[in-house]
Amino acid sequence: MAEIETIGFHYVVEAAGCDPEILGNADKIRQIFLEAAKVGKMEVKASYFFKFSPTGVSGMVIVAESHISIHTWPEKGYAALDVYTCGTTADPEKAVDYILDKLRAQYAHVSEIKRGIEEEDETFTHMILTWEEKLERKNSEKD
């Protein structure tokens, strides 16, 4: 079977059991995301993070390969993550693992979507692989 050619890889992650202090800190999340881009071999172009009142953060890092984004609910210990990359040089899964570790996530539901798969009729489709992980984190660890 021939390898499927794809334009991009999109990781959609539901992260639970995260550290609420980190999830409510836009500056800390920015630091985590900028480092995650490095770990994932992505070239940062811009970033923007916004802290909501009374709680929650939304933010995005634009990378040459596409983007990394988040929205948090500190009161629930939950974060919704997206990591989307195009091309073959980036390692989005390493970026996802780094973010989950730094958020101190206890659980992750991950969908890897291979996007931009060209069909014979010059249309495009995608394929989805989904898995769940119980993550062993030491809550006493401080960065």
Side-chain angles (χ1 to χ4, degrees):
M1 182 175 182
E3 186 172 326
I4 296 171
E5 287 191 35
T6 180
I7 290 175
F9 293 91
H10 191 168
Y11 287 78
V12 177
V13 183
E14 312 301 329
C18 301
D19 185 323
E21 286 185 34
I22 295 170
L23 294 184
N25 186 328
D27 291 332
K28 181 68 174 167
I29 293 174
R30 176 184 285 112
Q31 291 171 356
I32 291 168
F33 271 47
L34 292 174
E35 189 61 29
K38 287 182 193 172
V39 167
K41 300 177 187 161
M42 299 172 210
E43 180 185 345
V44 174
K45 296 297 187 180
S47 68
Y48 183 79
F49 290 81
F50 181 84
K51 179 163 180 13
F52 291 94
S53 180
T55 185
V57 172
S58 281
M60 173 175 272
V61 173
I62 303 297
V63 293
E65 299 77 10
S66 192
H67 72 272
I68 306 172
S69 65
I70 191 168
H71 189 77
T72 72
W73 287 263
E75 70 280 10
K76 295 187 177 286
Y78 167 70
L81 308 171
D82 274 352
V83 178
Y84 183 48
T85 61
C86 302
T88 58
T89 58
D91 191 339
E93 198 163 348
K94 277 190 179 175
V96 168
D97 289 343
Y98 181 85
I99 293 166
L100 290 172
D101 182 58
K102 295 302 179 184
L103 296 180
R104 299 193 184 99
Q106 299 296 309
Y107 171 86
H109 183 102
V110 182
S111 294
E112 176 192 68
I113 307 166
K114 291 181 181 180
R115 299 191 62 187
I117 300 169
E118 194 165 2
E119 302 274 51
E120 290 178 17
D121 62 357
E122 298 181 0
T123 62
F124 292 85
T125 190
H126 61 266
M127 290 177 44
I128 303 172
L129 174 65
T130 299
W131 65 92
E132 297 178 16
E133 297 180 35
K134 180 160 177 36
L135 305 167
E136 299 301 322
R137 304 280 185 234
K138 295 179 184 132
N139 284 331
S140 60
E141 275 182 35
K142 294 293 176 197
D143 297 325

